[in-house]
Amino acid sequence: MKFALVCGAGGFIGSHLVKRLKREGFWVRGVDLKLPSYSETEADDFVVGDLRDPLLCKMVVDRKFDEVYQLAADMGGAGYVFVGTNDYDIMHNSALININIIEACRKRNSRRIFYSSSACMYPEYNQNDPDNLNLSEDSAYPAAPDSEYGWEKLFSERLYLAAARNKSMDVRVGRFHNIFGEEGSWNDGREKAPAAICRKVAMASKIDEIEVWGDGNQTRSFLHVDECLEASIRLMRSNWSGPVNIGSDEMVKINDLVNMVAKVAGKKIKIRNIDGPTGVRGRNSDNRLFEQKLNWRVSEPLINGISRTYPWIEQQVLSNCS
Ligand code: NAD
């Protein structure tokens, strides 16, 4: 039997990853500050604890794991990351988690470790014009992320890559681009754009107006969590360490995403664009390196993932109202 450790197993992507590894027959230990919010964990062992504590890290890495996935981070959507008031917590908490867990893994000879970085580490200056974006992996320097969240991701990428060079760790670094899906944050202040839009549309009446942050022409791409996991696991089990983008290259304007959600919901929604934190002007995943190294491509159209996610969020809204 193979053994996996999932750090951040109470979170959105981590809880889905536990289910996926269980389906593959792994024995899985999860660790997080909290249990998953929307379903029972399927982990064989779940430790509720704080990975900022080096002793807790030592305790959870008490054996050699075949695969370690480090997804734990102090993070959220634009309303958490771009408002300025959480900057210290984001940097301090996530850096400590990464420093502690890699050292604990090194001591137990658990060499194969996946680190979830983010597209937020890319320089802001390459993301101002949606028609001229540059998010190829080698465009990371000179570094100029637009948030402390992005700076911490860059620091930790370097930490993992240094451990690979100097300490014989076998690291894999994936840069996630806007992952969405069922059982993710939708109303706790950490939700991302797809979940926030699904919630607003679900709460609207048949014909209604909703508020959307920014002028609505900012662009993004969104990857459903199932494909994110497929890509991450393929990277983990490949001989390529990355860093590599894990995202969709189907770029949409935020207002077009609203129209897509409204269509899935069968509602007529008018958009009122208002001031709010938005992040960079444009972002899209450049998947050329992933496709070249892994010989596989992300291919699911955004509408398919929205068609699965909207009903889940609508259900949450309805049960919260009743
Ligand atoms: P999430 O917030 O749902 O999951 C992160 C989990 O880490 C949470 O459950 C949280 O409780 C846990 N955590 C935070 N501090 C901890 C601590 N001190 N000790 C133990 N656990 C702690 O986020 P997610 O969307 O599942 O993201 C997973 C990873 O992917 C994160 O590292 C995130 O930065 C990265 N990422 C996500 C996206 C996305 O769109 N979801 C995009 C880019 C990168």
Side-chain angles (χ1 to χ4, degrees):
M1 177 174 278
K2 290 205 162 182
F3 291 80
L5 175 67
V6 177
C7 303
F12 164 49
I13 302 172
S15 56
H16 283 277
L17 177 59
V18 169
K19 290 181 195 163
R20 163 83 195 241
L21 292 169
K22 282 308 299 169
R23 281 205 305 277
E24 292 185 6
F26 275 75
W27 185 94
V28 182
R29 172 174 291 154
V31 52
D32 200 299
L33 289 171
K34 60 171 184 68
L35 287 159
S37 306
Y38 305 109
S39 60
E40 292 290 320
T41 182
E42 292 183 16
D44 298 277
D45 182 35
F46 195 103
V47 179
V48 175
D50 190 337
L51 291 161
R52 291 172 301 179
D53 176 359
L55 290 178
L56 187 277
C57 291
K58 199 172 157 191
M59 191 193 101
V60 295
V61 193
D62 61 352
R63 53 157 298 127
K64 182 180 187 307
F65 286 93
D66 299 289
E67 296 183 357
V68 176
Y69 294 86
Q70 198 322 72
L71 307 179
D74 192 352
M75 64 94 70
Y80 187 75
V81 166
F82 296 118
V83 288
T85 43
N86 303 309
D87 288 351
Y88 176 78
D89 287 345
I90 288 170
M91 296 196 88
H92 173 261
N93 295 342
S94 297
L96 280 182
I97 294 170
N98 287 309
I99 287 169
N100 290 336
I101 204 71
I102 185 113
E103 183 61 7
C105 289
R106 188 177 79 78
K107 289 201 168 127
R108 281 290 181 179
N109 203 25
S110 288
R111 295 186 182 282
R112 183 67 63 110
I113 180 163
F114 176 95
Y115 173 56
S116 53
S117 182
S118 163
C120 289
M121 47 64 61
Y122 283 113
E124 187 175 10
Y125 58 76
N126 280 332
Q127 302 173 73
N128 291 330
D129 174 3
D131 295 325
N132 281 300
L133 301 174
N134 183 3
L135 287 103
S136 64
E137 287 78 355
D138 59 4
S139 70
Y141 298 96
D146 70 336
S147 65
E148 302 300 359
Y149 171 72
W151 278 104
E152 191 283 325
K153 288 293 186 192
L154 198 55
F155 163 79
S156 289
E157 278 193 8
R158 298 189 66 102
L159 175 74
Y160 284 95
L161 294 170
R165 286 196 307 277
N166 300 163
K167 306 288 179 189
S168 307
M169 295 296 286
D170 200 7
V171 309
R172 300 289 179 270
V173 178
R175 293 174 178 163
F176 290 169
H177 290 240
N178 287 316
I179 314 303
F180 77 101
E182 307 83 277
E183 302 192 1
S185 282
W186 63 279
N187 70 341
D188 62 0
R190 291 182 185 237
E191 63 276 17
K192 306 279 190 64
I197 290 168
C198 286
R199 184 196 68 229
K200 288 178 186 183
V201 171
M203 291 174 79
S205 31
K206 267 262 173 253
I207 303 173
D208 211 343
E209 180 178 80
I210 66 166
E211 291 182 342
V212 174
W213 288 346
D215 67 5
N217 290 321
Q218 67 271 31
T219 64
R220 289 293 183 278
S221 69
F222 301 97
L223 182 68
H224 189 267
V225 63
D226 290 347
E227 275 206 310
C228 167
L229 293 184
E230 185 62 38
S232 301
I233 285 173
R234 281 174 185 268
L235 174 61
M236 181 65 145
R237 297 176 191 162
S238 75
N239 293 322
W240 165 246
S241 42
V244 68
N245 292 325
I246 294 183
S248 159
D249 54 9
E250 182 184 342
M251 190 162 79
V252 286
K253 291 181 181 164
I254 294 298
N255 278 0
D256 291 340
L257 176 64
V258 177
N259 293 331
M260 186 185 283
V261 172
K263 197 170 158 202
V264 167
K267 293 186 180 181
K268 261 197 139 29
I269 298 291
K270 262 186 75 183
I271 302 170
R272 184 146 53 91
N273 291 108
I274 58 163
D275 278 349
T278 57
V280 293
R281 191 71 190 143
R283 181 171 286 157
N284 194 15
S285 184
D286 181 336
N287 291 347
R288 287 171 300 173
L289 186 64
F290 191 100
E291 289 169 20
Q292 182 197 329
K293 297 286 181 188
L294 279 297
N295 201 18
W296 181 81
R297 68 186 312 268
V298 158
S299 59
E300 191 181 52
L302 176 58
I303 181 77
N304 292 9
I306 294 291
S307 302
R308 298 203 292 281
T309 305
Y310 178 78
W312 181 80
I313 293 184
E314 187 183 45
Q315 192 51 50
Q316 301 302 306
V317 168
L318 291 174
S319 42
N320 256 40
C321 293
S322 60

